[in-house]
Amino acid sequence: MPANIKHKKKSLKTCRRSKNNAGNLYAVIIAGGSGTRFWPLSREDTPKQLLSIGGREPLIQSTVTRISAVIPLEQTFIVTNKKQMESINLQLHASTGKPWDKRFIIEPEAKNTAPAIGLAAVYLKKLNPDGIMAVLPSDHVVKDSGRFCSALLSASKAASEGYLVTIGLKPDKPETGYGYIKCGKKIKDGVYIAAEFKEKPGKELAKKYLKDGNYYWNSGMFIWKADAILSAFKKHMPDLYAGLMKIEKAIGSAKETETISLVFASLKPESIDYGVIEKAKNVAVIPAEMGWSDVGSWHALGYILPVDSDNNVKHGNIISIDNKNSILYCGNRVVAAIGLDDMIVVDTADATLICPKNRAQEVRKIVDVLKERGAKECVTHRTVFRPWGSYTVLETGDRFKIKKIEVKPGAKLSHQMHRHRSEHWVVVAGTARVTNGDKAYDVHLNESTYIPMSTKHRLENIGRIPLEIIEVQNGEYLEEDDIVRFEDVYSRKTEN
Amino acid sequence: MPANIKHKKKSLKTCRRSKNNAGNLYAVIIAGGSGTRFWPLSREDTPKQLLSIGGREPLIQSTVTRISAVIPLEQTFIVTNKKQMESINLQLHASTGKPWDKRFIIEPEAKNTAPAIGLAAVYLKKLNPDGIMAVLPSDHVVKDSGRFCSALLSASKAASEGYLVTIGLKPDKPETGYGYIKCGKKIKDGVYIAAEFKEKPGKELAKKYLKDGNYYWNSGMFIWKADAILSAFKKHMPDLYAGLMKIEKAIGSAKETETISLVFASLKPESIDYGVIEKAKNVAVIPAEMGWSDVGSWHALGYILPVDSDNNVKHGNIISIDNKNSILYCGNRVVAAIGLDDMIVVDTADATLICPKNRAQEVRKIVDVLKERGAKECVTHRTVFRPWGSYTVLETGDRFKIKKIEVKPGAKLSHQMHRHRSEHWVVVAGTARVTNGDKAYDVHLNESTYIPMSTKHRLENIGRIPLEIIEVQNGEYLEEDDIVRFEDVYSRKTEN
């Protein structure tokens, strides 16, 4: 991380020279998420921000695109954990054509938003003492990018004056699942002092807020100077601030990573809302309307995908008879639904969810049960994406595993070896270049080859069309971590 | 058919010599069924009577076992269609240890129950002019076999006196889905003249019948002399009778099969209830209680499988949170259900059904949609059983198909050839004896072999444990009917 930040410094100075606010403006995209709310579509390794809902681009990609109109990609950072970094990098590299691995800020463990934001603030202040950070969730939907951008620019201006700015969204229904902010004294046109905060009000209160017209939803989008939020931490979260100062000192030293881990291990989880926003006096609100959804549960699909005349969202191989107000979401498997009302049905290759809409929040409980059972259905999908393509587990036996492997034209897997399994490969599309011990040879459509245990090997698509192979693994241990890597174009340490 | 009937004649005469009614008593099990009511568990090639519901033995097997206490297996015939014959034979051969293929009466096409029963009556009368046939559905549940048997014996006695006997079941709820029979004048103890028939009454009427105590459910179990039902056809269904007489003449001749096909093609579909029972004057009822269910829809699962304290039937890899009065039935895939009440959820490898209990009858509509689409999910399961074992389709591509094939110890597939595909086989359990063109060799665990297109080959399990192989097919046409058979221990003409 320090290395990349030093790298960036040069170009940043160039930007700052323009004396433009935007030159000091950085995006800090918060991409945590445990993959529970959208189970079974989301998994531990495919959290909400990486979902292609209804075939649309992943939410994090839309977020990056939206921000890029105001903030250059080089000034966009992503706070996430180590596990998700590779998938996000893969996604953004593919969509922006640039590697993102130098612009990740890694939380060693999840401690809610305040520590994550604090960590980003420390790095950013080091990078640019006048830096303004726009803290933006990675997994929200914003339909009106233009309004989003102008709110962001107004916020940036107010932030440069020292305010902790939050974007307040005009409610259009008495939602009980969000926090509300009341606008107080006007600072200037379109900017108000935040007068009151209310977390998830009851139905009656939410109706009152909606009618009042002066209450706004807390969007989770915050804009402030790195310096200003650190001052706020000093005042309202002194323990966090002390930890952040330790990290600040360690940045660039050999102890950087270790220090961050130690500090995070000692921190109490805390949200930025509860820890700072609800306490600080210099919080400003910029009310906005931008066609926003936090995509907080399966409900939100009706906001993202089209609904039919019976108010159903239908996606995939659905056979629907007389359903209404329901979300029927599946892939290739047949899902037949009759006479449902206000229901959610979500089907994936290995798991199905059925629940009434008003109990969508309880999906977390299902994920908890799966975790307790050590079940893979909360961790990973049958199809796993890799920088070189993807694989799909077709069948798992006691001592065998069958995968379909797809390799993009020109891509190659790492030069690797397995201690506990041998592999039969049969090519069903394209041509494979195979390195097998000391030999290298091509395997064509309808040909096969065999990779013995403990033999160095590599699979490569030297052709013009996707390569598809069926891999039959035999062995007594068949997990992904049985891999020794000798060389990898994607610089990975573990997994295919 | 004629051949086997002549065979049986000898042993029959021996039985008849005992002057025991049972010697003249034959079971005619009606095993049609289109696999619609229990979709997605039932399919065209796996109708209800072949389902192992909740891991229990298939209903047709229970039916055969139940009958065998009263009627010898050799006097038990099965009326079905050509498509289902092999699966039923396979199932009954495995469970009774005897081949059944000589005791099938094949309907060339489905024309409801009257023609099917008429066809059986003609054969049976030829076999034994005094023959009494117990027409029994293949797919009902009877919990009290003892009472079933005594009802059957009483019925057989009444039938020998010329009555068309039906077993009437004492209702325990005002069911609107069944036909009702009113008992009239007493013929003798436990036997009454049928005074009135009522098909599927409304709720109020059904309640009245239940209270009255003299109305019974029409069980679909009929006992009569072959001669008596043919006389009834002559009177009430003269067209059917005329057709049956043509068939009778053709039996044993070269034109037998052709005649049956021609006659069936000309017949109107008709139920035995509407065509005969509701019109004939000599219908007798034997009231009985035997813990019966016609397993007419997914509802019935609560009668077959245990229910939990919330009145749910749960089977398979279910995660259940706060559900009640529901049927949650699945296999290995995870099915997570929250807050359901009076719902049916049924999940199989390739299809899922969700509907409220009170709309279970509409499952047929789903099957209709699948048929229109030409979808395989109404015809066959991913796993298909064969006399030698089973195969599971793991993946289907444009020009490839992946199967897992399991071969029982000692079993072998036919000596065969494919015109349009080659096959790679990788052994993942057991040892395969492979015939490949002129060569025969063994393929062991973690070894593979290749069968080129248009090459005669055979797969055999010569070992002591089940053989499992992964088959990767490559070709431009990958259907089951691309097979040329040279020799088959199971005398099959098409399919693996």
Side-chain angles (χ1 to χ4, degrees), chain A residues 243-294:
Chain A
L244 293 174
M245 290 305 101
K246 281 185 204 161
I247 292 173
E248 190 179 43
K249 267 182 212 141
I251 286 179
S253 81
K255 289 203 162 182
E256 180 179 343
T257 308
E258 190 194 337
T259 307
I260 297 173
S261 292
L262 282 171
V263 167
F264 263 70
S266 74
L267 293 175
K268 267 197 319 188
E270 190 67 271
S271 75
I272 192 79
D273 302 84
Y274 186 80
V276 173
I277 305 296
E278 296 182 14
K279 289 168 183 153
K281 300 294 175 210
N282 59 335
V283 176
V285 190
I286 293 191
E289 281 181 89
M290 53 177 78
W292 170 91
S293 166
D294 74 338

XYZ file of all heavy atoms in Angstrom, chain A residues 243-294:
389
model
N -5.551 4.499 17.882
C -5.127 3.389 17.015
C -4.711 3.892 15.641
O -3.690 3.464 15.084
N -5.488 4.821 15.120
C -5.196 5.357 13.784
C -3.852 6.099 13.782
O -3.096 6.038 12.805
C -6.328 6.281 13.322
C -7.678 5.583 13.053
C -8.771 6.616 12.747
C -7.569 4.567 11.905
N -3.562 6.749 14.883
C -2.278 7.456 14.960
C -1.104 6.477 14.951
O -0.056 6.736 14.361
C -2.236 8.356 16.214
C -3.167 9.563 16.116
S -2.875 10.602 14.626
C -4.197 10.093 13.534
N -1.309 5.324 15.622
C -0.265 4.282 15.576
C -0.054 3.831 14.140
O 1.073 3.623 13.682
C -0.691 3.070 16.429
C -0.482 3.267 17.909
C -0.812 1.955 18.661
C -1.179 2.265 20.112
N -1.909 1.175 20.747
N -1.171 3.648 13.441
C -1.086 3.198 12.046
C -0.369 4.263 11.214
O 0.511 3.958 10.404
C -2.495 2.908 11.478
C -3.091 1.687 12.186
C -2.442 2.685 9.964
C -4.534 1.385 11.839
N -0.739 5.524 11.446
C -0.141 6.619 10.674
C 1.386 6.581 10.781
O 2.098 6.724 9.783
C -0.671 7.966 11.168
C -0.273 9.127 10.266
C -0.839 10.450 10.757
O -0.795 10.721 11.978
O -1.339 11.214 9.916
N 1.848 6.358 12.023
C 3.299 6.316 12.232
C 3.942 5.144 11.506
O 5.074 5.229 11.035
C 3.599 6.201 13.733
C 3.814 7.557 14.385
C 4.164 7.390 15.867
C 3.601 8.597 16.630
N 3.041 8.216 17.920
N 3.227 4.024 11.471
C 3.808 2.792 10.908
C 3.799 2.776 9.378
O 4.522 1.987 8.752
C 3.056 1.576 11.444
N 2.972 3.631 8.775
C 2.862 3.607 7.311
C 4.223 3.842 6.668
O 4.942 4.762 7.023
C 1.832 4.668 6.821
C 0.410 4.193 7.132
C 1.958 4.908 5.307
C -0.693 5.154 6.726
N 4.553 2.952 5.766
C 5.834 3.069 5.081
C 6.940 2.297 5.773
O 7.991 2.043 5.179
N 6.695 1.871 7.004
C 7.715 1.090 7.719
C 7.471 -0.398 7.500
O 6.447 -0.801 6.936
C 7.659 1.403 9.221
O 6.617 0.651 9.826
N 8.408 -1.219 7.976
C 8.286 -2.666 7.840
C 7.121 -3.194 8.680
O 6.613 -4.283 8.446
C 9.586 -3.350 8.261
N 6.709 -2.400 9.668
C 5.682 -2.866 10.602
C 4.268 -2.440 10.193
O 3.316 -2.609 10.965
C 6.002 -2.347 12.005
C 7.216 -3.026 12.622
C 7.174 -2.941 14.135
C 8.115 -3.958 14.755
N 8.079 -3.946 16.219
N 4.140 -1.878 9.018
C 2.842 -1.321 8.612
C 1.693 -2.336 8.731
O 0.711 -2.125 9.437
C 2.943 -0.801 7.167
C 1.638 -0.216 6.665
C 1.764 0.322 5.232
O 2.901 0.533 4.772
O 0.726 0.498 4.581
N 1.857 -3.467 8.036
C 0.778 -4.459 8.008
C 0.494 -5.003 9.401
O -0.661 -5.112 9.825
C 1.159 -5.615 7.055
O 1.539 -5.042 5.797
C -0.009 -6.562 6.835
N 1.558 -5.317 10.128
C 1.416 -5.871 11.467
C 0.694 -4.877 12.383
O -0.192 -5.260 13.154
C 2.814 -6.189 12.015
C 2.786 -7.001 13.299
C 4.157 -7.007 13.977
O 5.169 -6.777 13.264
O 4.199 -7.223 15.202
N 1.074 -3.617 12.273
C 0.461 -2.589 13.123
C -1.036 -2.476 12.844
O -1.854 -2.436 13.769
C 1.140 -1.216 12.885
O 2.547 -1.371 13.055
C 0.610 -0.164 13.855
N -1.370 -2.450 11.554
C -2.799 -2.351 11.203
C -3.567 -3.538 11.806
O -4.642 -3.368 12.405
C -2.994 -2.298 9.674
C -2.330 -1.024 9.114
C -4.471 -2.318 9.303
C -2.312 -0.930 7.602
N -2.992 -4.723 11.685
C -3.661 -5.914 12.222
C -3.846 -5.807 13.728
O -4.922 -6.084 14.252
C -2.844 -7.175 11.901
O -2.862 -7.404 10.525
N -2.779 -5.394 14.415
C -2.849 -5.291 15.878
C -3.883 -4.242 16.298
O -4.692 -4.479 17.189
C -1.472 -4.921 16.448
C -0.479 -6.081 16.522
C 0.920 -5.577 16.891
C -0.953 -7.121 17.557
N -3.850 -3.092 15.635
C -4.793 -2.026 15.984
C -6.225 -2.498 15.737
O -7.092 -2.391 16.609
C -4.487 -0.737 15.181
C -5.644 0.254 15.299
C -3.188 -0.096 15.656
N -6.456 -3.088 14.563
C -7.824 -3.538 14.253
C -8.295 -4.592 15.244
O -9.469 -4.607 15.630
C -7.932 -4.035 12.806
C -8.457 -2.968 11.885
C -7.681 -1.862 11.578
C -9.741 -3.038 11.355
C -8.169 -0.847 10.754
C -10.248 -2.039 10.541
C -9.457 -0.933 10.235
N -7.393 -5.478 15.641
C -7.782 -6.535 16.587
C -8.259 -5.920 17.902
O -9.125 -6.473 18.580
C -6.614 -7.489 16.818
N -7.716 -4.744 18.238
C -8.047 -4.139 19.535
C -9.305 -3.264 19.465
O -9.831 -2.837 20.490
C -6.872 -3.276 20.005
O -6.811 -2.074 19.243
N -9.793 -2.961 18.275
C -10.897 -2.014 18.137
C -12.267 -2.651 18.358
O -12.476 -3.814 18.044
C -10.876 -1.388 16.737
C -9.694 -0.468 16.403
C -9.761 -0.029 14.941
C -9.668 0.743 17.326
N -13.153 -1.819 18.909
C -14.551 -2.242 19.010
C -15.231 -1.950 17.676
O -14.995 -0.879 17.108
C -15.281 -1.432 20.097
C -15.288 -2.081 21.452
C -16.344 -1.471 22.368
C -16.415 0.047 22.234
N -17.279 0.687 23.237
N -16.080 -2.843 17.169
C -16.810 -2.519 15.943
C -17.729 -1.318 16.206
O -18.361 -1.253 17.251
C -17.643 -3.771 15.663
C -17.033 -4.855 16.502
C -16.438 -4.175 17.687
N -17.767 -0.389 15.285
C -18.626 0.786 15.460
C -18.966 1.381 14.108
O -18.113 1.477 13.224
C -17.880 1.828 16.311
C -18.750 2.981 16.766
C -19.812 2.528 17.746
O -20.909 2.147 17.283
O -19.527 2.530 18.971
N -20.210 1.816 13.961
C -20.593 2.451 12.706
C -20.206 3.930 12.754
O -20.139 4.533 13.827
C -22.091 2.309 12.462
O -22.793 3.206 13.300
N -19.956 4.507 11.600
C -19.608 5.933 11.535
C -20.801 6.776 11.966
O -20.626 7.825 12.592
C -19.123 6.302 10.099
C -18.471 7.693 10.082
C -20.259 6.264 9.080
C -17.073 7.728 10.597
N -22.007 6.280 11.712
C -23.208 7.032 12.095
C -23.271 7.192 13.609
O -23.405 8.287 14.131
C -24.470 6.293 11.616
C -24.462 6.091 10.128
O -23.837 5.100 9.660
O -25.030 6.921 9.416
N -23.203 6.065 14.298
C -23.324 6.093 15.751
C -22.087 6.724 16.390
O -22.176 7.491 17.338
C -23.537 4.667 16.271
C -23.808 4.614 17.743
C -25.093 4.897 18.229
C -22.789 4.319 18.650
C -25.348 4.878 19.591
C -23.040 4.292 20.021
C -24.316 4.576 20.483
O -24.572 4.564 21.832
N -20.921 6.409 15.852
C -19.662 6.850 16.453
C -19.399 8.338 16.262
O -18.853 8.996 17.155
N -19.761 8.900 15.118
C -19.409 10.294 14.830
C -20.615 11.150 14.414
O -20.920 12.170 15.031
C -18.320 10.370 13.723
C -18.078 11.828 13.300
C -17.029 9.726 14.199
N -21.293 10.716 13.363
C -22.297 11.583 12.726
C -23.370 12.058 13.708
O -23.766 13.226 13.707
C -22.953 10.855 11.532
C -21.896 10.376 10.553
C -23.964 11.758 10.821
C -21.103 11.456 9.895
N -23.843 11.139 14.557
C -24.919 11.513 15.474
C -24.424 12.413 16.613
O -25.226 12.949 17.364
C -25.587 10.246 16.036
C -26.269 9.447 14.944
C -26.985 8.197 15.455
O -27.182 8.062 16.683
O -27.342 7.344 14.608
N -23.087 12.537 16.754
C -22.543 13.307 17.890
C -21.920 14.637 17.468
O -21.985 15.617 18.215
C -21.495 12.447 18.610
C -22.153 11.286 19.367
C -21.142 10.254 19.832
C -21.866 9.091 20.503
N -21.113 7.843 20.418
N -21.328 14.647 16.300
C -20.586 15.841 15.876
C -21.540 17.014 15.630
O -22.695 16.822 15.265
C -19.776 15.538 14.623
N -21.039 18.224 15.836
C -21.866 19.428 15.668
C -21.740 20.003 14.253
O -22.556 20.830 13.853
C -21.432 20.509 16.675
C -21.553 20.082 18.133
C -23.016 19.876 18.541
C -23.122 19.334 19.970
N -24.320 18.485 20.151
N -20.686 19.610 13.555
C -20.438 20.213 12.239
C -20.875 19.317 11.079
O -20.239 19.261 10.043
C -18.955 20.572 12.087
C -18.052 19.351 12.242
O -18.429 18.374 12.887
N -16.868 19.396 11.642
N -21.987 18.606 11.320
C -22.499 17.749 10.251
C -23.472 18.551 9.380
O -24.402 19.163 9.900
C -23.199 16.496 10.809
C -23.802 15.669 9.671
C -22.221 15.655 11.624
N -23.213 18.539 8.088
C -24.091 19.239 7.144
C -24.822 18.231 6.280
O -24.313 17.130 6.014
C -23.262 20.170 6.257
N -26.034 18.604 5.882
C -26.825 17.719 5.014
C -27.023 18.400 3.664
O -27.347 19.586 3.617
C -28.234 17.444 5.588
C -28.921 16.331 4.782
C -28.156 17.074 7.045
N -26.832 17.634 2.615
C -27.190 18.117 1.286
C -28.339 17.246 0.786
O -28.142 16.081 0.455
C -25.973 18.050 0.334
C -24.934 19.059 0.819
C -26.406 18.304 -1.118
C -23.802 19.326 -0.115
N -29.550 17.805 0.803
C -30.693 16.999 0.344
C -30.588 16.761 -1.155
O -30.145 17.628 -1.898
C -31.903 17.879 0.666
C -31.402 18.919 1.629
C -29.972 19.137 1.272
N -30.989 15.555 -1.556
C -30.893 15.221 -2.981
C -31.941 14.185 -3.354
O -32.440 13.439 -2.501
C -29.505 14.681 -3.302
N -32.266 14.171 -4.631
C -33.091 13.092 -5.196
C -32.276 12.536 -6.345
O -31.815 13.292 -7.200
C -34.407 13.645 -5.731
C -35.444 13.903 -4.664
C -36.733 14.441 -5.278
O -37.600 13.631 -5.645
O -36.844 15.683 -5.376
N -32.086 11.227 -6.387
C -31.239 10.686 -7.460
C -31.657 9.275 -7.884
O -30.898 8.582 -8.530
C -29.765 10.707 -7.022
C -29.498 10.036 -5.689
S -27.739 9.991 -5.243
C -27.445 11.658 -4.684
N -32.878 8.880 -7.530
C -33.334 7.532 -7.893
C -32.479 6.488 -7.215
O -31.865 5.648 -7.849
N -32.505 6.553 -5.869
C -31.564 5.776 -5.079
C -32.214 4.555 -4.426
O -33.382 4.601 -4.050
C -30.988 6.693 -3.993
C -30.169 6.024 -2.937
C -28.817 5.829 -2.978
C -30.618 5.513 -1.673
N -28.403 5.222 -1.815
C -29.486 5.005 -0.993
C -31.866 5.426 -1.057
C -29.562 4.423 0.264
C -31.936 4.830 0.199
C -30.802 4.344 0.851
N -31.470 3.493 -4.337
C -31.868 2.350 -3.501
C -30.619 1.774 -2.870
O -29.577 1.680 -3.520
C -32.570 1.288 -4.337
O -32.651 0.073 -3.604
N -30.719 1.380 -1.627
C -29.547 0.746 -0.995
C -29.516 -0.752 -1.289
O -28.613 -1.446 -0.853
C -29.531 0.995 0.515
C -30.559 0.166 1.258
O -31.546 -0.270 0.618
O -30.394 -0.067 2.469
